[in-house]
Amino acid sequence: MVELGVYVRDSQGMSQGEFQRAYPDSVLLVDKSEFDNAAGSVSFETVAISSRDDDDPQGYQVFPVTKNQNNPWPDRISLGRARNCDVVIRHASVSKLHAHFFIERSKLVLADAKSTNGCRVNDRALAPGERVPLSCGDVLCLGMIEATLFSPAGLFRFIQEVRDLDPKPANS
């Protein structure tokens, strides 16, 4: 998990192509208020990135959908609350192993891993094990957490919009 402001700051002066080379993975974008809405149910973890107010435009967290080298499943990207998942979302409504991402025919696909609170894609509930192809802009509900999926190009465009809405200079 990284604050959106880190991406905003790092993208300063980059073209879309340069950004996509620097950040080649799709991401899940989650509004921080999603974690505040279930007071008392959030589990915190320490991350190695410092957070400042200027690193947090609009209060979003970014979860890269990328493989952890230590993960035992080479054919999938795991998502869940457990620290050994590839994508870790520390929220009580997210199961320890909530879902899996697969890459099928160059497309990202989501499958519910028999999670307790289920998965939805664009308001459509997934059956356990059902695989659904994803597109940039799809809204995923993982338990009570709502996340928007962005491709690298889609994230770059979103960052441009954030920068236009919040023109505060991104100082280091």
Side-chain angles (χ1 to χ4, degrees), residues 97-156:
L97 177 59
H98 199 92
H100 289 109
F101 291 99
F102 296 90
I103 298 178
E104 296 177 356
R105 291 183 225 119
S106 300
K107 198 143 173 69
L108 197 59
V109 173
L110 179 71
D112 184 284
K114 299 180 182 176
S115 62
T116 302
N117 294 311
C119 294
R120 299 178 74 78
V121 176
N122 298 326
D123 287 328
R124 182 179 163 270
L126 275 63
E130 177 184 6
R131 293 183 182 205
V132 175
L134 302 173
S135 298
C136 182
D138 282 348
V139 177
L140 285 60
C141 290
L142 309 158
M144 292 173 37
I145 297 297
E146 186 174 288
T148 304
L149 178 73
F150 283 99
S151 65
L155 181 61
F156 183 80

Side-chain angles (χ1 to χ4, degrees), residues 43-116:
S43 177
F44 296 96
E45 70 178 85
T46 304
V47 293
I49 295 174
S50 66
S51 178
R52 302 184 319 260
D53 287 342
D54 62 342
D55 282 343
D56 191 19
Q58 309 300 320
Y60 289 104
Q61 292 179 334
V62 180
F63 295 85
V65 179
T66 186
K67 191 78 187 136
N68 175 345
Q69 298 302 337
N70 298 325
N71 190 294
W73 296 302
D75 65 330
R76 64 191 74 190
I77 298 170
S78 61
L79 179 146
R81 190 179 71 237
R83 294 181 199 274
N84 64 340
C85 286
D86 297 310
V87 180
V88 178
I89 299 179
R90 305 283 293 163
H91 189 274
S93 72
V94 175
S95 296
K96 288 179 184 177
L97 177 59
H98 199 92
H100 289 109
F101 291 99
F102 296 90
I103 298 178
E104 296 177 356
R105 291 183 225 119
S106 300
K107 198 143 173 69
L108 197 59
V109 173
L110 179 71
D112 184 284
K114 299 180 182 176
S115 62
T116 302

